[in-house]
Amino acid sequence: MNDLHTWLSQQHHGLRTFRTFQQKLEMLGRDDPAQRGLCRLLSGLVGSYVEAFDEEPLPVEIADGAYQRLLTLVESIDLHGNAERRLADINRVAESELWR
């Protein structure tokens, strides 16, 4: 996730960034099958945000908040942690919301 976090931290908070992030998650899940479940959860989280605001005006406050929450979430994930840590990461992603 370090590479994803680094990339994400250099992006704008617009919907295009979130769509591209989903593509990067798909590639990571394909290239590293051990991360597939976590990547799917993150992609679903991002996808629900994109769907909610696709074709709609996106207020700057909402975009900034969602971007910061995603950045913080991705930074907190340890892909090399033990099973307990990985499960905690998965559960944290599963209960996360980006904009509500």
Side-chain angles (χ1 to χ4, degrees):
M1 284 291 157
N2 277 346
D3 290 342
L4 282 176
H5 180 266
T6 300
W7 175 84
L8 186 59
S9 69
Q10 298 169 355
Q11 303 304 308
H12 184 266
H13 61 246
L15 288 179
R16 183 177 300 150
T17 295
F18 287 81
R19 286 185 195 108
T20 303
F21 186 72
Q22 281 185 291
Q23 293 168 350
K24 289 183 173 295
L25 287 168
E26 184 178 318
M27 289 187 309
L28 176 61
R30 190 175 46 239
D31 295 344
D32 188 353
Q35 308 307 332
R36 193 168 289 146
L38 182 59
C39 289
R40 287 254 175 115
L41 279 174
L42 276 169
S43 184
L45 177 67
V46 170
S48 66
Y49 172 73
V50 169
E51 286 177 22
F53 292 101
D54 198 25
E55 306 291 328
E56 298 285 327
L58 181 58
V60 173
E61 314 83 51
I62 292 176
D64 281 342
Y67 173 78
Q68 288 302 320
R69 281 188 283 286
L70 181 60
L71 193 59
T72 300
L73 184 61
V74 171
E75 183 179 37
S76 74
I77 295 170
D78 182 1
L79 293 180
H80 306 292
N82 63 23
E84 187 175 310
R85 171 62 196 264
R86 291 174 52 109
L87 182 58
D89 287 343
I90 289 169
N91 285 332
R92 192 172 53 260
V93 170
E95 68 185 12
S96 294
E97 292 184 348
L98 293 181
W99 81 97
R100 292 185 194 164

